[in-house]
Amino acid sequence: MSIERQCIQATAAMSKRAQASPSTSQPKRAKFASDQSSLKAFFGSSPRLTPANSGAEKGRNNVTEPVRKQLNAKEIATPDIIDLTSDSEPTPGNYGSNNINGLSAAAPQVSDVGGSSGAVLPSSPNTPSRRVPMKNDIAVLPNYQPLGVDLFVYDVQENPWPVNEPAPYSFLVHALVTLSGTRSRTIILNTLTNMLRTLLNWHRPSLLPSLYLLSNCLSPPYSPVELGIGSSVISKAIQHISGLTSSALRRLYNSFGDPGDVAFEVKSNVRTLVPHPPLIIAAVYECLLKIANCKGQGAAKQKQAIVEKLLVAAKGEESRYLVRTLSLNLRVGAVRTSILTALARALVLTSQTSLGGPDRDHSPYHATSKLISLVQPLAAEGKKVPDGAREKLHEKFIQAEALVKKVFVQHPNYEHIVAGLFNGGLDNLDLHVPLTVGIPLHPALGSPTRSLDEIYDRLGDLPFAVEFKYDGQRAQIHGVRGVNNDNPSIHIFSRHLEDMTTKVSYPSDGGLKSFQELSNRARKDVEMSDIKVSVCVYAFDLMYLDGEVLLAQPFRERRSLLRSRFPPFSPSDKGAGRLDHVESCESEAGKDAIEEFWQKAVESHTEGLMIKLLSSDAMQEDGTQKGNGKRKPLSATYEPDKRTSAWLKLKKDYVVGLGDTLDMVPIGAWHGNGRKAGWWSPVLLAVRDPRNDYFVAVCKCMSGFSDLFYKEMVAHYSEGSDNCSGKPLWETNTGGFRPDVYFRPHEVWEIRGADITLSPVSLAASGLCSSSRGLSLRFPRFIKTREDKSPEQASTTDFLAQIWKDQQGKSKATAGDADDGDLVDVEPEPEWVVGGAGESDG
């Protein structure tokens, strides 16, 4: 019997967060997840290190005068030399090996990222023990070229490190330092592009680990690999190599406000007897994987030993960014979109032959060396000069960026993409890295509308379907039918592409549930006999079936295949799952039928409606179909990670006022007064600025919160914790707002408001709607915490500006690129993927 492959998107009516129950857990970052509690614990969980409890009288520190003034004499260990020459087993306090956890560092010379002068010392493992302390344990760093310069000024042929040696970690840190020092998108893209070009030219094995380290993750989002390092591990490691007490470290944190800055200050004063070989990029990444793989009894000590080895070998700025990586906060303005854009540009400037492909003069993606040589340097002060060669390269950049992003959103796996690139370059990347069952793709997204009238204004007479927007969890179901009718292999992925197969095996009694009812269900590794709250999988789209990718097919055809190949299933056994199709109505039935269906949605436990174009066509720019004048195409294809007018959403809670709620990020607060004294009220809310890669404040919010929520918010954002600071530590722009405290932007709240207004205080969307004012939200009200969204998926300034323009009577279809996301990579096999869920727009 043949093996059958199918891929369906669906929505499972599963639990979302109840309105009154706030999220005290941090949203899961891309596989660098950690259960760190607070920075008080970060620096306060270990006892003071003394010769009696340190295991050896080797961990001491020398503190600079500014820091010494903040510390008591009893908190500073006196010796300023660390003996690191022992060859015994790596245990806390023993750093004998010149390998980093078994990973050899290759280059024999070391230098300081900060550029301080000093003599280069030998680093051979056989160097005899000598009391020759290095100044601040830092030698001279190679003078790397500036990375933020124009791509055609940067000399990629210049040797950044010795030939045939692996890329040093200091080169990656050089890029991170540059990124953290600018908010210019041009400099950010130049820095990333020039860095990746250098790795492609001088050490390609470092490309993949660099992409993961830049992304602050270890693996694809659907992979179970997590760093899993607690705050106490980092705290003990820093204490052990410095000799400082927990109170001294806590005092340093209160002064600097960032664990990476504390590590840099502490480590810069530690001296070693023997210099360590430089860290290399691949070795650092492998050490992080080893930390993730430490399991069982003694895992914490094993992780601490690896962290200590890394910190001891780190020099200069390396210490700062190692700890920031371990703490899940690199604090640089580079997100996934920027990394993919830079990767595409670096590949355009890399020859096809070096990537294993034929050297073609007319490749739409790769530039020839002749074309690159014709590009003129940019004029002084940014003045533009006519440059045909640069314009041709810009066209190739645009095509390459679109290709890389398209491949990534359908196959979010850097390892597969890099392998595909090394197997022929960009020209055949989509063939080498196709959509694959077993690897989730990014979901399509819905554009908000405010009324049924607006839907008809946008779509005119074009045929469309309206579907219930279920109040549950969106899911993507992948399945492969077994050979000889064996049981199929099933995987279910969340909207964040995380594998949640063990969390969603629930049957249904046929009725829709409320938030409160659904929130009581168990979340993980559930036994069928223990199920008390039942749900159903409602399938609404099909993206792959029997080896054929269906993304380019119109929705009408995809839906027809879904209904014919996957009929509803409702067994009598309550222990078995139930499958049904999303309830829907079509525009051909007339406006009265659509109105009646809308009323049904309002009266049921749904969020509203999803409106989906059935067939591709074109519309007039003014919203009417046919006639003369300019027409814009409307495609009924499935567009991963994009918002288009082919998918619209109409929420019943927001028919009056805004057409949609906003997904906003809390970034600060004021101390409450009166009954709210002791609580945070109001809270400062922000949206994401995609141009500057930070969160920008929009408005204050003090409505919609229950007393329970206020209490839990105070606990979650307690002053002095890693989530709350009196100083602006994180990448935010508060404009004219001056909150009492600043929150770490790490969770998303759904907010409802009356309308969008111009504001003299807010800087959100400044320049998009007004040259002198930003945008703010009137009468904001908290709805619920969006556990299914990360801060990178919060509403953007562009989205805010579009709502404001719609309000002004300039209604235009919401355009293209949406929330940042990652791609999926899968290998072809007979399989199927079903999507089903409670909210069908993601």
Side-chain angles (χ1 to χ4, degrees), residues 606-669:
T606 70
E607 289 188 345
L609 298 179
M610 287 299 302
I611 299 90
K612 300 178 182 178
L613 193 65
L614 287 168
S615 303
S616 301
D617 207 326
M619 287 288 299
Q620 288 293 113
E621 288 288 2
D622 62 2
T624 60
Q625 192 181 12
K626 312 300 181 185
N628 299 320
K630 188 177 180 181
R631 303 177 75 204
K632 60 181 180 180
L634 285 179
S635 175
T637 57
Y638 190 94
E639 299 293 335
D641 203 35
K642 286 187 178 181
R643 296 188 193 276
T644 71
S645 289
W647 269 35
L648 304 174
K649 58 182 177 181
L650 179 64
K651 290 190 176 182
K652 65 182 183 182
D653 293 336
Y654 240 64
V655 173
V656 178
L658 295 180
D660 189 26
T661 52
L662 293 171
D663 294 320
M664 307 184 78
V665 177
I667 63 169

Side-chain angles (χ1 to χ4, degrees), residues 222-412:
Y222 56 88
S223 169
V225 178
E226 296 181 2
L227 191 61
I229 187 169
S231 57
S232 63
V233 170
I234 306 175
S235 171
K236 291 177 182 177
I238 294 177
Q239 284 188 275
H240 206 177
I241 68 170
S242 68
L244 292 179
T245 63
S246 60
S247 60
L249 281 174
R250 189 182 303 112
R251 197 171 304 171
L252 288 179
Y253 173 74
N254 291 336
S255 175
F256 290 102
D258 175 74
D261 294 343
V262 173
F264 173 82
E265 183 63 33
V266 168
K267 181 60 173 59
S268 66
N269 297 289
V270 174
R271 303 181 181 181
T272 59
L273 291 176
V274 178
H276 281 248
L279 291 171
I280 60 176
I281 292 174
V284 171
Y285 176 69
E286 288 296 327
C287 284
L288 297 180
L289 287 178
K290 288 192 175 185
I291 290 175
N293 290 326
C294 290
K295 308 294 181 183
Q297 188 175 4
K301 290 185 177 180
Q302 296 174 30
K303 293 179 179 182
Q304 181 182 334
I306 299 172
V307 173
E308 289 178 0
K309 277 180 165 287
L310 286 169
L311 287 175
V312 167
K315 297 170 176 63
E317 291 284 349
E318 293 176 343
S319 302
R320 191 192 315 272
Y321 287 96
L322 274 173
V323 171
R324 285 184 179 179
T325 294
L326 294 168
S327 302
L328 314 180
N329 186 15
L330 278 177
R331 298 185 66 180
V332 298
V335 294
R336 189 202 67 191
T337 300
S338 300
I339 294 172
L340 293 175
T341 299
L343 178 61
R345 294 185 179 186
L347 291 161
V348 169
L349 299 174
T350 302
S351 68
Q352 301 168 75
T353 54
S354 65
L355 294 173
D359 190 5
R360 299 189 299 154
D361 290 338
H362 302 293
S363 169
Y365 306 113
H366 292 281
T368 62
S369 56
K370 180 180 179 181
L371 177 59
I372 295 174
S373 67
L374 295 175
V375 177
Q376 300 296 316
L378 288 176
E381 300 179 357
K383 295 181 180 178
K384 293 185 178 180
V385 295
D387 189 343
R390 186 181 287 268
E391 291 176 1
K392 289 182 180 178
L393 275 171
H394 183 65
E395 293 175 1
K396 291 182 181 290
F397 283 165
I398 293 175
Q399 294 182 78
E401 291 163 17
L403 173 66
V404 171
K405 292 174 183 178
K406 174 186 174 182
V407 170
F408 185 79
V409 295
Q410 294 184 22
H411 196 125

Side-chain angles (χ1 to χ4, degrees), residues 21 39 42 51 54 79 95 156 159 189 191 205 263 297 308 407 416 538 565 575 657 669 740:
S21 179
L39 283 173
F42 187 100
S54 64
Y95 308 95
V156 75
N159 294 5
L189 289 178
T191 299
Q297 188 175 4
E308 289 178 0
V407 170
H416 296 173
Y538 294 95
R565 296 295 297 273
D740 294 337

